[in-house]
Amino acid sequence: MTSAKVTEAPEEGYERGLGSRQVQMIAIGGAIGVGLFLGAGANIAKAGPSLILMYALAGVIIFFIMRALGELLLYRPVSGSFAEYSREFLGPFFGYFTGWTYWLMWVVTGMAELTAAAIYVNYWFPSIPQWVTALVFLVILFGVNLISVKLFGELEFWFSMVKVTALIGMIVIGLGVLTFGFSSAGDTAAVSNLWAFDGFFPKGIGSSLMTLQGVMFAYLAVELVGVTAGESENPEKTLPKAINTLPWRIALFYVGALTVILCVVKWTEFAPGVSPFVEAFAQIGIPAGAAIVNFVVLTAALSSCNSGMYSTGRMLRNLAESGEAPRAFTKLSSTKTPALGILVSVCFMGIGVILNYVVPEKAFGYVTSIATAAGIWTWLMILVSHVLYRRAVVAGRLPASSFPAPGGAVCSYIAIAFLLFVTGIIAYDADARVCLYVMAGWAAALAVGWAVLKARNPEIAERRTPEFEKVG
């Protein structure tokens, strides 16, 4: 059995302009989003302090997924990796389906995040119409993504820096309140708040498990580091480092931050629709707390939308190169960005701004649940591809990766079972299951599209052996 050198990968024409600093921050930023800053409020109301355990459990599964992806990335680092590995190990249809589904995930996420960003700006400037703010952000981020991958990486670096700094500040302040008892929350802040009000599972284990769908939404985009593989300066060093630091990021930013907040403020004080971070700052008595958190959440929304434009353009190009999208998407601009793919994606995100403006507020929740369902499919394809890759390595058909996942395929099997369990929870929840109906319609549309593609070009359904070409 031979070992593959990771610098061997298809030359895709992209500029390898993402340095270690930027890849690290993209990975960190991918694990901190609006799902944590806003979504945690509703989940605390449902599960109480046990939400901490749900984030920890889901975090372990996310690490399994990322180590599986890491092994594949170091076997063959390519942009649009999930679709490419699905195509290689499961067949052309699965590559086609995964690529388009990941594109859908980011387009609907972009729709939601742009509208959210406009709402956050309304906090300071209520007189500015929401659609104007959303349109301004859409145009600015579109321009950033067109200019160069380096500018995208730099903007994402600073977006992530704001989120990380805010969370660390929140943890430090919370620990100070707990240790020294200062602020208006000092008298009631105590570690015993985690179990003093109807126990650690106040609504029962069943209610806690029902929050897993929201928890998984909070982790969406952590796999974005895989899309950067084709544009990383040194994937052999940057990707393993980004993936291996994931456990402490989850432990600190999710489990740590929630633990501190729920020690400082008892869980019964939190309500759906209110950021637990805003509430905690208010209880501690920091006057500008709400404005600070509002700025951080705005940053998180813009970061997510920025990442969405980046990844959708790359995924459309990957699909086009495989004959599964119009050939025009294969062209790169003079700055080596897939400009047409980004433009089309931005147009669809723009439609979402209009839709979110005219439809009831509940539509926002539907959009995020569709993104979750599409994300679960992507993660499942990563895991199944990893299991099949491991089989091929054991059989000696493929070279071993320089970054093998611990436990081989065992952890991937565990993660697959967990994701299927979460899908079952979504199906059980009357509000959330709407996204499964949408996904069924999406699958039917893609099946029709595949039939048309095969009729026009029968070769598209044939498996192709991946090429290994030196790039660095």
Side-chain angles (χ1 to χ4, degrees), residues 115-128:
T115 308
I119 292 169
Y120 302 145
V121 169
N122 262 12
Y123 176 86
W124 293 296
F125 306 104
S127 60
I128 299 177

Side-chain angles (χ1 to χ4, degrees), residues 110-111 113-119 121 128-143 302 305 309 346-347 349-354 357:
M111 292 177 186
E113 303 292 10
L114 276 172
T115 308
I119 292 169
V121 169
I128 299 177
Q130 269 181 223
W131 70 268
V132 173
T133 311
L135 184 62
V136 168
F137 284 141
L138 189 70
V139 171
I140 291 172
L141 293 178
F142 176 51
L302 293 176
C305 191
M309 288 183 192
V346 164
C347 289
M349 288 179 191
I351 293 169
V353 172
I354 299 166
Y357 180 73

Side-chain angles (χ1 to χ4, degrees), residues 93 96-97 101 437-449:
F93 174 75
Y96 157 83
F97 194 100
T101 301
Y437 301 142
V438 173
M439 289 304 293
W442 174 252
L446 287 181
V448 170

